Amino acid sequence: MDATDLARWQFGITTVYHFLFVPITIGLSAIVAGFHTAWVRTHNPEWLRLTRFFGKLFTINFALGLVTGLVQEFQFGMNWSSYSRFVGDIFGAPLAVEALLAFFLESTFLGLWIFGWGRIPERLHAATMWVVHVGTLLSAYFILSANSFMQNPVGFRFNAETGRAELTDFVAILLNKVQLVTFPHVILSAYLVGGAVVMGVALQLMRREWLRCSEIHDEDAGGAADVPMYRRAARLGAVVTLVAGMGVAASGDVQGKIMTEVQPMKMAAAEALYESVPAGEGAPFSVLTIGSLDGERARPLIEVPNLLSFLATGSFDGAVKGINDLKAEYAQTYGTAGMAELADPSTGYVPNIPTTYWMFRLMIGLGMAASAVALVVLWATRRGRTPTGRWLLWLAVAAPVLPLLGNSAGWVFTEVGRQPWVVFGLMTTASGVSPGVSLGEVVTSMTVFTLLYGALAVVEVKLLLRTVRQGAAPFEQPVDPAEQDEDAPLAFAY
Amino acid sequence: MELTTFWFILIGVLWTGYFVLEGFDFGVGLLLPVLGGRRLSRDAADAEKRRRVLLNTIGPVWDGNEVWVITAAGATFAAFPNWYATMFSGFYLPLLLVLVALIVRNLGFDYRHKRPEAQWKARWDLAIFWGSLVPAFVWGLLLTNIVRGVPIDADMEFTGDVLSLLDPTALLGGLAFTALFVTHGAIFLALKTDGPVRAQARTVAAVAGVAAAGLAVALLAVLGSAHGKPVTWVTSGAAALALVTALAANRVGREGRAFIGTAAAIGLTVATYFVMLFPDVMPSTSNPAWSLTTENAASTEYTLTVMTWVAVVFTPVVLLYQGWTYWVFRKRLTTRHIPDDVAPATPAGDATGVTGPVRT
C-alpha cells in the first residue's frame, strides 16, 4: 500500500462518511420547513411539536455534515495537489461559488432559525428554514457540477504550454449533460432519505406511545394524543419516500443511458459484461453472478432477458459493448502516454469489477427496498390503523438505514466505475496525488480521521437515539417577538 | 487593475473577514475557562450560567463566521490553484491539526447544550477551548511563514518539514494572533453582555490588550524589517494605533468603539501581511525565481472574469444578510436571559432504551 492507495482510501472513507449526513440535511431541511410552514398556517400544536422535534434531529445531523465537509474542501489541496493544479482553473470555481452562494446561506439562516424562536416574526422564522433548504440545493448543484466535470469533462481546453486543463465555458460546466441528470437523481435520493428518517422515527414513537397508553388502560392519558400525530408524520414520511423513490428510479434510468454514452466502460463494469452484445440480440441484466468477476468472463445465475440493453440504450435489443472490446477501444482513444497504470493490458482502463458490479446492484436494491418499506407503512397505517407489532421496530430502523447505504453504494459505484481516471480521459487518479506529501503524513491523517470519525459516530448515534427516545416535547405557545419582555429568558439558548 | 491583483486583494479581504469575525468567537472560546470559570463565579451553577451567556453571544453567528475561511480556501483554489495546491499540501500536518480542532469545536457549540450532565458539558467546554486555541495559533503561525517564505522547489512543491515552520518569528505570529483574538473576544463580550460578565470582560480586555499590543508591535517590527515596504509601515502603525484606541475606549466604557478598534487592528494586521506578500503569494526561500506569484499561481483570465462577476454580485448580498443576523441578535445577554436547563420531557422512562418502552 503506497501513499496513493492511502489517499484514495482516505478520500473514500471521508466522502462516504460525509455523505451520510448530506442527504439527511437536504431532505430533512425541506420536511422541517414544511412542518414549520404548516404550523404557521394552521396553528395546530402538533405541527409545532414536530417542527421542533425533527428540527433538533436536523441540527445534530447538520453539525457533523458541516465539519466533515470542511475536511473535503481541504483534502483536495492536501492529498491531491497535482489534481488541484491540473484542474484548479475549472474545478475551483464551482467550489468557491458553492461557498459564497450556498454555505453562507445555510449557516447564517440556520443560526437564525435555531435562535429565532421568540425573536423574529413567525412567518419570517419559517421562511429561514426554507432558505436553509435552498442553500442545501445550491450547494448540491455546484459540487455536483464539479463532480460531473470529472465524469464528463466539458467546457475546457487542454493547454499544452501550462500543462493544465483550462476553463473555456462556465455555463457548459453548469449544464453538463451528466450534471443535468445527476442533480435530480441525488436530490431525489436525498428526499427519499429525509422521508425515510421521518417515517422511521415517527413509527417507532407511534408504537411506543400506543403501547404506553394501552398499558395504563387510559386512551386519553398523557401521550395518547400523540399517537395520531406520529402516525401522521410517519405517513407523510412514507409518501415523501415513495414519491421520491419513483423519481430516483426514473432519473437513475436516464442517468444510466447518459453514462453508457460518456463512460461505456462503467456500464460494462456494472454488469461484468465482458463480451459485447450486438444490436438485435438484447443484453440480459444479471441479478446474481458467480465465477470470475474480475477474470475474463462471468457466469450469471439469474438473468432478466434484454433488461441491460434497455437500461443502457432505451431499446430492448440495443447493442451493449463489453469490457474486452472497450479495453481495446479506450487504448486506441486515450493511449498510455506517460501513465504507467494504463499500460497494463489486463487492468488498464478497467475499474474494479466486483466493486462496480455489486455496488450497482446494492444501490438499486436498497433504493427499491426503501420504497417498499414506505408502501408497507402506508398500507399498515391506512384509515387510521395503528400497527404495533415488533416487526414495526425493524421497519423503523431499516427505513433510514436502507437508503443511506443505497446512497453510499451509488457513490462508490460511480466513483470506482470511473477509475483509473480521476478526470475521465484526462488525468489518472494515480497522477493526481500530492507529490510532496510523504507516506507518513498520509498515514497520520488517515489514522486521525478514522479514529476521530469513529468516535464522532458513536457520540452522534447516541445523541440521536437519546433525542428520539425523548420524543416531541410538549406543546408550548411560542412568544410573540413583538411582546417579548426584554428581561425574559431566551426561548432558545445554548 | 489586473484581475490577478483584484483576486489577491479579494482573498486578503476574505481572510480579513474571517479573522475579524471568527477572531472574536475564537476569543470567546478561549475566555470560557476565565470568564466562565469558578474563580469569578459564585458557585458551580453560576459558572455554568456564565459559560452559557458567553456561548450564546456567539451562538447564532459563529457558523456564518466560519464560512469566511471556507470561502477564502475555495476562492484561493479557484483564483490561484497553484497557491492552494502548494499551501495545502505543504502545510499538511498543521492543517490536519486545524481541521481536528475546528471539528471538535463546532460540535462543542452544537452538542454541549443537548444533554444536561455536567461531565458532558465539561468535555465539550474543553473541546471549545482547545478548538479555539489551536486554529488561532496555527493560522498565525502559517500566515507568518507564508510572508517569511518557505522552501519551495522549481515544481512549486513545498520541500520543508513541520519543524522548519516553527521558527521564532512564526511562533511570535501565532502568539500575537492568539492574543489579538483574546482581546477582540473580550471586547466583543463586553459589548454583548451586561452585569458582572461585562465588567470583568472589560478588565480582561485591558490586560490581554496590553499583551496583544506588545506582541503585535514586536511581530510587525520584525516582519517589517525584513519584508516591509513604506506602505506596510503605515498600515502597521495604523494597526497599533487602532489597538491603542480600542484599549482607551474600553477603559472609558465605549465598547462599540473599542470593538471597531480591535476589528480594525486585526484587519490592518492582515492587510499588512498581504501588502508585504505582494506580488508573491508564497515566496520561496530556496530560490526567489521559484516563488509563487499572483501571475504564475493564477487561473486563466476567463475563470477570473467569471469569478469576478459572481463575487461582485453576491458578496454584497452575503454581507447584507449576515449583517442583518447581527442586528436581529443585537441584545445584550445576562445570566437572567439564560433559561434553566429543564430536565427533558421523557415520557416512558429515559433508560429503557430506544426499543424498550413499557411492554404489555
Side-chain angles (χ1 to χ4, degrees):
Chain A
M1 191 157 289
D2 56 16
T4 306
D5 293 327
L6 273 176
R8 286 186 63 189
W9 272 105
Q10 186 169 329
F11 198 87
I13 291 170
T14 52
T15 310
V16 166
Y17 192 79
H18 174 59
F19 208 80
L20 294 175
F21 310 106
V22 171
I24 299 183
T25 298
I26 297 174
L28 206 51
S29 59
I31 297 176
V32 170
F35 286 158
H36 200 160
T37 308
W39 154 251
V40 171
R41 292 179 75 115
T42 64
H43 284 125
N44 174 349
E46 286 185 358
W47 291 126
L48 183 68
R49 296 179 63 204
L50 289 173
T51 307
R52 287 185 178 249
F53 173 63
F54 283 104
K56 200 167 173 186
L57 294 179
F58 174 81
T59 54
I60 295 172
N61 168 77
F62 184 88
L64 260 182
L66 181 117
V67 295
T68 52
L70 202 59
V71 175
Q72 297 304 99
E73 200 203 30
F74 280 34
Q75 193 169 194
F76 294 117
M78 288 169 71
N79 282 340
W80 303 95
S81 69
S82 294
Y83 167 79
S84 301
R85 289 185 209 285
F86 182 69
V87 295
D89 194 60
I90 302 152
F91 192 85
L95 247 63
V97 176
E98 183 190 17
L100 187 65
L101 264 67
F103 293 160
F104 272 121
L105 213 56
E106 287 177 78
S107 309
T108 312
F109 281 84
L110 186 60
L112 278 162
W113 187 79
I114 294 175
F115 286 85
W117 300 102
R119 295 209 226 179
I120 41 183
E122 61 172 16
R123 280 164 183 275
L124 188 60
H125 193 200
T128 57
M129 192 46 127
W130 283 114
V131 177
V132 172
H133 180 60
V134 170
T136 66
L137 294 181
L138 285 171
S139 165
Y141 198 90
F142 290 108
I143 196 64
L144 289 174
S145 342
N147 180 266
S148 295
F149 174 82
M150 298 163 77
Q151 307 288 353
N152 178 39
V154 291
F156 77 102
R157 69 185 182 103
F158 178 70
N159 184 338
E161 200 182 314
T162 55
R164 65 181 188 179
E166 294 178 346
L167 184 63
T168 57
D169 187 353
F170 189 59
V171 177
I173 299 282
L174 297 180
L175 300 179
N176 188 340
K177 64 180 167 188
V178 171
Q179 159 72 355
L180 294 181
V181 288
T182 303
F183 178 71
H185 191 62
V186 169
I187 293 303
L188 287 164
S189 51
Y191 288 147
L192 189 156
V193 170
V197 167
V198 171
M199 170 171 72
V201 168
L203 272 184
Q204 142 72 12
L205 289 169
M206 175 189 82
R207 177 177 184 270
R208 189 185 73 182
E209 289 306 295
W210 193 88
L211 290 178
R212 196 174 71 240
C213 296
S214 52
E215 169 79 357
I216 54 181
H217 302 292
D218 183 356
E219 291 295 320
D220 300 323
D226 288 355
V227 172
M229 173 177 82
Y230 289 129
R231 188 200 299 111
R232 188 196 278 184
R235 285 181 65 83
L236 260 170
V239 170
V240 172
T241 305
L242 200 60
V243 173
M246 289 189 279
V248 170
S251 59
D253 179 56
V254 183
Q255 204 181 9
K257 292 173 179 56
I258 302 270
M259 179 183 81
T260 311
E261 198 185 318
V262 301
Q263 291 181 42
M265 182 69 89
K266 198 189 273 183
M267 188 47 121
E271 263 309 300
L273 181 75
Y274 285 92
E275 297 304 329
S276 299
V277 177
E281 285 186 16
F285 179 89
S286 80
V287 179
L288 259 182
T289 291
I290 55 159
S292 57
L293 278 171
D294 51 350
E296 295 299 307
R297 71 208 151 71
R299 195 181 311 147
L301 283 184
I302 309 173
E303 289 185 338
V304 183
N306 298 55
L307 183 58
L308 176 61
S309 281
F310 180 74
L311 287 178
T313 65
S315 147
F316 282 103
D317 53 6
V320 182
K321 283 183 183 155
I323 294 164
N324 293 336
D325 283 347
L326 285 168
K327 231 168 14 185
E329 221 175 85
Y330 274 36
Q332 190 132 45
T333 316
Y334 304 112
T336 54
M339 295 185 261
E341 65 277 22
L342 297 181
D344 182 339
S346 68
T347 58
Y349 304 113
V350 183
N352 184 309
I353 303 292
T355 309
T356 48
Y357 180 90
W358 288 112
M359 289 299 158
F360 189 60
R361 270 143 198 80
L362 267 179
M363 169 185 78
I364 296 174
L366 291 169
M368 283 166 49
S371 304
V373 170
L375 261 184
V376 171
V377 169
L378 282 177
W379 174 253
T381 56
R382 72 191 182 282
R383 281 186 240 128
R385 281 181 173 77
T386 305
T388 53
R390 266 201 87 77
W391 56 274
L392 206 67
L393 290 177
W394 289 105
L395 274 195
V397 174
V401 172
L402 292 174
L404 276 176
L405 292 179
N407 267 309
S408 304
W411 275 114
V412 172
F413 163 66
T414 204
E415 296 296 290
V416 170
R418 190 189 57 230
Q419 303 302 323
W421 305 105
V422 63
V423 183
F424 185 78
L426 276 185
M427 182 185 222
T428 60
T429 307
S431 47
V433 289
S434 301
V437 172
S438 67
L439 181 64
E441 286 175 317
V442 192
V443 169
T444 308
S445 62
M446 178 85 168
T447 313
V448 168
F449 282 130
T450 308
L451 292 177
L452 182 66
Y453 278 18
L456 295 183
V458 174
V459 174
E460 156 103 359
V461 168
K462 278 176 125 171
L463 195 55
L464 282 173
L465 291 183
R466 190 189 140 88
T467 311
V468 168
R469 217 156 41 219
Q470 288 170 355
F475 176 70
E476 254 180 85
Q477 182 67 39
V479 191
D480 182 349
E483 293 158 19
Q484 174 79 284
D485 174 9
E486 273 300 296
D487 284 338
L490 301 172
F492 176 88
Y494 268 168
Chain B
M1 183 170 33
E2 297 270 337
L3 274 180
T4 48
T5 310
F6 173 77
W7 273 89
F8 179 79
I9 295 171
L10 196 62
I11 285 165
V13 169
L14 288 167
W15 279 104
T16 305
Y18 176 60
F19 288 130
V20 166
L21 295 172
E22 183 113 303
F24 68 72
D25 63 55
F26 281 149
V28 171
L30 287 165
L31 290 171
L32 210 53
V34 182
L35 288 169
R38 281 302 300 275
R39 282 187 59 183
L40 294 177
S41 317
R42 283 195 311 278
D43 50 34
D46 183 46
E48 166 60 13
K49 280 235 162 155
R50 293 171 59 116
R51 280 195 291 273
R52 291 179 66 196
V53 168
L54 305 187
L55 293 174
N56 277 289
T57 60
I58 55 170
V61 295
W62 66 266
D63 194 355
N65 294 348
E66 192 172 284
V67 177
W68 284 82
V69 77
I70 303 179
T71 310
T76 310
F77 196 172
F80 301 102
N82 283 321
W83 186 8
Y84 171 79
T86 303
M87 178 161 94
F88 280 73
S89 64
F91 297 160
Y92 196 93
L93 293 177
L95 288 176
L96 176 66
L97 205 59
V98 168
L99 281 175
V100 172
L102 290 179
I103 288 173
V104 297
R105 171 178 186 269
N106 289 4
L107 293 180
F109 291 140
D110 277 322
Y111 288 179
R112 182 188 192 278
H113 67 104
K114 291 214 157 67
R115 295 182 66 149
E117 297 88 344
Q119 195 190 27
W120 169 267
K121 289 175 188 284
R123 281 186 189 156
W124 288 120
D125 285 346
L126 272 181
I128 292 170
F129 175 79
W130 287 101
S132 302
L133 179 63
V134 167
F137 184 83
V138 174
W139 285 131
L141 179 89
L142 293 182
L143 284 193
T144 311
N145 267 300
I146 290 181
V147 172
R148 288 190 66 255
V150 288
I152 292 171
D153 68 14
D155 296 325
M156 298 186 170
E157 293 298 334
F158 173 78
T159 54
D161 56 22
V162 183
L163 291 179
S164 73
L165 300 175
L166 301 178
D167 121 298
T169 314
L171 291 170
L172 177 62
L175 283 179
F177 271 61
T178 310
L180 278 171
F181 294 156
V182 170
T183 312
H184 193 40
I187 288 187
F188 175 79
L189 286 171
L191 182 65
K192 290 288 294 175
T193 62
D194 218 338
V197 178
R198 180 183 181 184
Q200 287 153 2
R202 279 175 53 194
T203 314
V204 169
V207 178
V210 173
L215 288 165
V217 167
L219 171 71
L220 291 174
V222 173
L223 276 183
S225 65
H227 312 280
K229 301 168 183 172
V231 59
T232 59
W233 290 111
V234 177
T235 51
S236 301
L241 189 66
L243 190 55
V244 172
T245 314
L247 296 179
N250 177 55
R251 247 184 102 86
V252 296
R254 301 296 299 265
E255 288 136 354
R257 287 186 188 193
F259 184 71
I260 294 172
T262 46
I266 291 171
L268 286 161
T269 305
V270 179
T272 306
Y273 268 54
F274 274 77
V275 177
M276 282 181 187
L277 208 49
F278 189 80
D280 287 344
V281 294
M282 266 188 106
S284 168
T285 51
S286 313
N287 180 344
W290 296 340
S291 294
L292 275 70
T293 68
T294 54
E295 289 305 318
N296 69 14
S299 284
T300 54
E301 180 93 10
Y302 175 75
T303 299
L304 293 177
T305 310
V306 171
M307 293 296 301
T308 302
W309 279 106
V310 176
V312 165
V313 173
F314 289 101
T315 310
V317 180
V318 170
L319 290 175
L320 267 179
Y321 65 67
Q322 211 170 30
W324 177 61
T325 321
Y326 280 89
W327 171 252
V328 168
F329 300 107
R330 66 192 176 282
K331 195 170 83 172
R332 285 181 186 267
L333 295 179
T334 67
T335 43
R336 282 197 315 279
H337 292 114
I338 302 302
D340 289 323
D341 236 347
V342 278
T346 44
D350 199 10
T352 43
V354 70
T355 57
V358 182
R359 299 264 154 67
T360 42

